[in-house]
Amino acid sequence: MSAETTTSLAGNSSLAGKRILILATNGFEQSELDIPHTKLKEAGATVHIASPEAGEITGWDQKDWGKAVKVDRTLDEVSADAYDAIVLPGGQMNPDTLRGNPQALSLIKTFFQQGKVVAAVCHAPWLLIDTGIAKGRRLTSYKTIRQDMLNAGAQWEDSTVVADKGVVTSRNPDDLPAFVAKIIEEVNEGRHERRAA
């Protein structure tokens, strides 16, 4: 591989100057926040964790409570205008709590309406149902919410990662490398033309 090709590949995975928001609350699946947070920062992005709660939120690590992470911004302090993408970790509790928060749903919907990347893994595609984003879109999710996705009008598929005009979904923690790689690719493509939810 030539030096020129190597530089070009590195350039394609660089998120220098990009800003990404991770939205979560207590009960997020630990790896589904930690891995995107780490890998997107390593790719050069500024990454902020936002939550309805200030201070810290605590993850769920497979079968028990995990570790706390620092909240950079409360929901009141963030706007889709300031970011290039929003990442929604799964876990059962986290998206189920957020789907009852009108402010969280409004924020996700605004990212979508602005043509920005909306990425959801595991149970987080529930939030794509409640924002109207799932309808008519190719998506995947954790297998137990497949029927919820179908009932909402999504075209569900059992794939590691699915991207539909900047809406990126994956099934579970095993899919995280592909999930993060696709987020980087979609953010680098820029704004996506799509129907408003």
Side-chain angles (χ1 to χ4, degrees):
M1 192 181 286
S2 72
E4 192 176 311
T5 310
T6 309
T7 306
S8 136
L9 286 173
N12 290 341
S13 64
S14 170
L15 292 180
K18 302 294 186 184
R19 292 167 58 85
I20 297 177
L21 190 68
I22 298 177
L23 176 62
T25 187
N26 290 302
F28 63 86
E29 184 65 42
Q30 195 82 48
S31 62
E32 293 172 2
L33 185 149
D34 290 352
I35 291 173
H37 186 243
T38 299
K39 296 295 180 191
L40 293 168
K41 279 180 20 182
E42 284 175 359
T46 298
V47 184
H48 291 146
I49 296 170
S51 178
E53 297 81 22
E56 291 184 335
I57 51 174
T58 304
W60 185 261
D61 198 353
Q62 297 178 36
K63 297 190 171 139
D64 203 352
W65 289 101
K67 63 181 196 290
V69 298
K70 180 179 169 291
V71 172
D72 300 304
R73 307 276 190 279
T74 62
L75 205 40
D76 296 339
E77 297 170 326
V78 293
S79 157
D81 297 341
Y83 296 92
D84 300 286
I86 188 167
V87 177
L88 307 168
Q92 281 179 286
M93 290 176 270
N94 169 56
D96 197 42
T97 301
L98 289 174
R99 71 198 301 207
N101 185 315
Q103 198 176 3
L105 296 177
S106 174
L107 178 68
I108 296 164
K109 198 166 180 174
T110 303
F111 270 90
F112 178 82
Q113 290 167 338
Q114 291 182 358
K116 293 174 177 178
V117 174
V118 176
V121 61
C122 194
H123 286 77
W126 264 339
L127 294 162
L128 306 183
I129 293 175
D130 288 65
T131 51
I133 294 169
K135 188 171 184 181
R137 200 159 301 283
R138 288 176 52 244
L139 298 171
T140 192
S141 67
Y142 194 67
K143 61 189 177 188
T144 61
I145 66 166
R146 170 183 172 271
Q147 194 60 49
D148 296 350
M149 306 309 292
L150 292 170
N151 291 346
Q155 299 164 34
W156 190 90
E157 55 188 78
D158 186 11
S159 299
T160 306
V161 64
V162 177
D164 186 337
K165 296 188 170 108
V167 177
V168 178
T169 49
S170 283
R171 303 167 301 185
N172 57 54
D174 292 341
D175 298 340
L176 286 169
F179 180 63
V180 173
K182 185 57 76 173
I183 292 168
I184 292 170
E185 181 185 321
E186 295 289 316
V187 169
N188 277 321
E189 280 182 15
R191 295 211 177 194
H192 295 77
E193 292 300 318
R194 54 201 176 201
R195 292 193 313 276

